[in-house]
């Protein structure tokens, strides 16, 4: 793996004045310089992974082969050492035992360039290396060894090599059948790529299925957009969640603007149902459009036997988390207006501005996609770009552990 040059540290000009600077001014200048360095280090870390190669492509297959060739001799030589738990909380300006091991670990994975001597100082190059490591592993780029970072640092090199080999097979199996224009939902990474002409047009953060309610792996086409939709609550969610919520808070349905209907379309009241049983699964529950709607402002439909779809969400704070596995199988899309503008490109009059206007008016509207876009939900937990930067994600559904390559039922 080659190391991309980190962003140059920002510098401040030294200005001589008639009077000596106060200690306070000097401290503020030092702090400003430190902030600028951190921002530059984060930008360089993100830039290293944010390249145009799609995660499903021949490019990625070739890059994975190169990464495997580099990892194999390293693993045969013993891999990298473990980072002690006492590095928890270490960051620039906070030194403690274990920084030497941390630096050696970052040197081993080529996140940090070679140095003459490894010491206990958590300095600017260490900050840059740690942020790069965090970016490659889909973690918050904080420059601090938090719990998630510590666990990622201590995944053995042998495990990472296994991931590279397995994901090469997955990419090779899928790449030949791809259309020129397609969408990829990568479940372990919880992100979405829109791809055209062999290049990523945009990446979107996503929230995908939790471990016990997994997002299914499938191939389909996005064929219809429902703006400001009603949400018909699936039976599985009625059974697993809604009954529990009503027992905890009898006003839950009213607060969430969810109505109940029987098979003939007659509206019922929450008090008509015995919530101590599973009687509720015999009725239809529908949530009104609006800010509280679980699908947000839009539902994005594709044919599949699992009754899943892509959608907006009112809980956008989840997009900022490391592990975004919260849904019941559907996929929530960040920056959904831009995503819709790309999907509806051939409809002529549905750019992000038009999408935003329908969002703001709350108008119920269904739009058929003029050229339905190919969609893949898939499971790629390791990949590499042409700069030699290798990315890894946790094996959240344990498909790597099971050695799964073919996900067809």
């Amino acid at each position: 793996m080659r190391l991309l040059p980190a962003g140059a540290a920002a510098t401040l000009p030294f200005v001589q004045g008639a009077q000596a600077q106060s200690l306070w001014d000097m401290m503020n200048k030092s702090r400003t310089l430190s902030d600028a360095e951190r921002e530059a280090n984060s930008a360089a870390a993100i830039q290293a992974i944010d390249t145009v190669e799609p995660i499903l492509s021949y490019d990625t297959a070739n890059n994975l082969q190169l990464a495997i060739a580099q990892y194999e001799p390293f693993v045969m030589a013993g891999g990298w050492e473990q980072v002690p738990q006492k590095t928890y909380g270490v960051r620039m300006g906070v030194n403690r035992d274990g920084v030497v091991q941390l630096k050696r670990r970052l040197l081993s994975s080529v996140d940090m360039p070679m140095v003459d001597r490894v010491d206990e100082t958590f300095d600017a190059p260490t900050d840059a290396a740690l942020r790069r490591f965090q970016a490659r592993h889909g973690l918050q780029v904080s420059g601090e060894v938090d719990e998630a970072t510590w666990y990622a640092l201590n995944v053995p090199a042998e495990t990472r090599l296994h991931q590279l080999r397995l994901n090469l097979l997955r990419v090779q199996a899928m790449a030949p059948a791809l259309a020129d224009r397609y969408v990829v939902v990568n479940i372990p990474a919880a992100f979405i790529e829109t791809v055209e002409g062999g290049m990523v047009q945009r990446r979107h953060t996503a929230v995908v299925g939790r471990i016990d309610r997994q997002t299914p792996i499938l191939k389909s086409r996005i064929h219809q957009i429902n703006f400001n939709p009603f949400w018909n609550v699936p039976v599985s969610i009625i059974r697993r969640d809604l009954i529990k919520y009503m027992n905890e808070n009898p006003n839950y349905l009213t607060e969430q603007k969810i109505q109940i209907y029987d098979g003939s379309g007659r509206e019922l009241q929450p008090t008509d149902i015995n919530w101590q049983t599973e009687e509720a699964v015999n009725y239809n529950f529908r949530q009104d459009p609006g800010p509280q709607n679980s699908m947000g402002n839009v539902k994005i439909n594709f044919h599949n036997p699992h009754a899943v779809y892509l959608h907006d969400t009112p809980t956008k704070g989840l997009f900022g988390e490391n592990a975004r596995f919260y849904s019941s199988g559907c996929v929530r899309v960040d920056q959904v207006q831009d995503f819709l503008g790309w999907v509806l490109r051939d409809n002529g009059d549905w750019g992000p501005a038009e999408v935003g206007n329908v969002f703001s008016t709350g108008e119920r509207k269904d739009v058929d996609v003029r050229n339905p876009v190919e969609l893949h939900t898939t499971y790629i937990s390791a990949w590499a770009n042409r700069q030699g930067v290798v990315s890894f994600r946790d094996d959240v559904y344990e498909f790597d552990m099971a050695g799964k390559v073919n996900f067809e039922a």
Side-chain angles (χ1 to χ4, degrees):
M1 293 174 291
R2 297 193 304 277
L3 178 69
L4 288 181
T11 57
L12 293 177
F14 176 72
V15 180
Q16 287 186 325
Q19 292 181 312
Q21 291 178 311
S22 70
L23 178 60
W24 180 252
D25 288 340
M26 293 174 66
M27 289 174 63
N28 277 340
K29 175 177 278 193
S30 176
R31 185 178 65 187
T32 302
L33 176 60
S34 177
D35 288 345
E37 284 182 327
R38 288 170 179 150
E39 290 175 7
N41 288 342
S42 289
I46 298 299
Q47 185 179 17
I49 62 168
D50 193 20
T51 56
V52 299
E53 299 97 326
I55 198 165
L56 285 184
S57 66
Y58 287 113
D59 264 350
T60 298
N62 293 334
N63 298 333
L64 279 168
Q65 289 174 322
L66 293 173
I68 290 168
Q70 292 166 333
Y71 266 72
E72 284 176 335
F74 179 75
V75 169
M76 290 180 63
W80 46 64
E81 66 182 288
Q82 297 288 288
V83 176
Q85 193 168 349
K86 57 190 174 184
T87 57
Y88 269 16
V90 71
R91 62 184 186 276
M92 193 166 179
V94 178
N95 293 320
R96 60 182 60 171
D97 293 342
V99 174
V100 167
Q101 292 97 319
L102 173 63
K103 285 185 172 181
R104 287 202 293 254
R105 170 64 180 84
L106 294 170
L107 285 165
S108 296
S109 53
V110 200
D111 290 296
M112 190 172 185
M114 294 301 297
V115 294
D116 293 332
R117 187 174 68 89
V118 176
D119 57 26
E120 286 281 357
T121 303
F122 193 105
D123 51 15
T126 309
D127 177 80
L130 183 59
R131 289 172 191 267
R132 176 187 166 91
F133 176 89
Q134 289 172 324
R136 291 195 304 109
H137 292 78
L139 304 170
Q140 292 180 2
V141 183
S142 64
E144 178 176 343
V145 180
D146 55 18
E147 183 177 11
T149 302
W150 182 81
Y151 276 108
L153 286 163
N154 283 300
V155 173
E158 294 90 341
T159 301
R160 295 309 193 193
L161 177 58
H162 172 69
Q163 284 184 276
L164 291 170
R165 289 169 171 164
L166 196 58
N167 284 281
L168 171 61
L169 296 176
R170 292 171 182 162
V171 173
Q172 286 176 326
M174 297 187 69
L178 294 170
D180 181 67
R181 191 165 185 258
Y182 58 96
V183 173
V184 173
V185 178
N186 186 21
I187 295 167
F191 72 58
I192 296 168
E193 291 180 345
T194 58
V195 182
E196 186 167 9
M199 294 191 296
V200 174
Q201 303 299 305
R202 187 178 178 91
R203 290 187 175 93
H204 297 262
T205 305
V207 174
V208 298
R210 65 191 77 170
I211 294 172
D212 61 335
R213 306 186 197 182
Q214 299 178 4
T215 295
I217 294 176
L218 55 83
K219 176 183 177 181
S220 185
R221 286 185 179 272
I222 298 172
H223 67 92
Q224 187 183 62
I225 310 299
N226 304 141
F227 288 99
N228 302 303
F230 289 97
W231 180 46
N232 296 300
V233 184
V235 171
S236 61
I237 292 181
I238 296 171
R239 178 177 286 113
R240 293 178 174 181
D241 299 325
L242 199 146
I243 292 173
K244 179 183 70 172
Y245 296 157
M246 283 299 291
N247 279 295
E248 294 171 350
N249 174 15
N251 294 319
Y252 177 79
L253 292 179
T254 303
E255 293 170 359
Q256 297 297 316
K257 300 186 183 303
I258 298 176
Q259 284 81 42
I260 314 167
Y261 300 93
D262 64 15
S264 62
R266 181 174 64 93
E267 184 172 359
L268 306 178
Q269 297 303 311
T271 51
D272 295 332
I273 296 175
N274 181 358
W275 296 100
Q276 303 305 312
T277 69
E278 289 197 349
E279 178 189 348
V281 301
N282 299 313
Y283 302 104
N284 300 316
F285 292 78
R286 190 181 75 178
Q287 187 178 39
D288 289 341
Q292 82 293 332
N293 188 283
S294 295
M295 291 187 292
N297 288 302
V298 69
K299 177 187 178 189
I300 302 163
N301 295 309
F302 49 92
H303 297 297
N304 69 91
H306 310 281
V308 296
Y309 42 84
L310 275 60
H311 63 96
D312 185 23
T313 177
T315 54
K316 292 182 170 54
L318 296 178
F319 292 124
E321 298 197 9
N322 277 334
R324 299 182 297 278
F325 307 97
Y326 293 103
S327 85
S328 295
C330 294
V331 178
R332 307 174 199 178
V333 185
D334 194 19
Q335 304 295 317
V336 73
Q337 290 179 218
D338 294 318
F339 181 79
L340 291 171
W342 186 84
V343 169
L344 293 171
R345 181 195 65 185
D346 293 339
N347 282 56
D349 53 356
W350 282 103
E354 289 78 11
V355 169
N357 183 58
V358 178
F359 281 8
S360 62
T361 63
E363 178 187 2
R364 268 288 299 118
K365 192 175 185 67
D366 298 330
V367 176
D368 292 329
V369 180
R370 187 161 296 166
N371 289 319
V373 181
E374 189 172 284
L375 169 76
H376 301 266
T377 63
T378 190
Y379 198 90
I380 306 298
S381 61
W383 64 95
N385 62 31
R386 66 185 66 174
Q387 281 73 36
V389 181
V390 185
S391 293
F392 295 101
R393 296 296 186 272
D394 289 342
D395 182 20
V396 287
Y397 293 173
E398 297 186 347
F399 291 164
D400 293 352
M401 184 183 299
K404 294 191 72 169
V405 173
N406 187 341
F407 297 98
E408 294 180 3

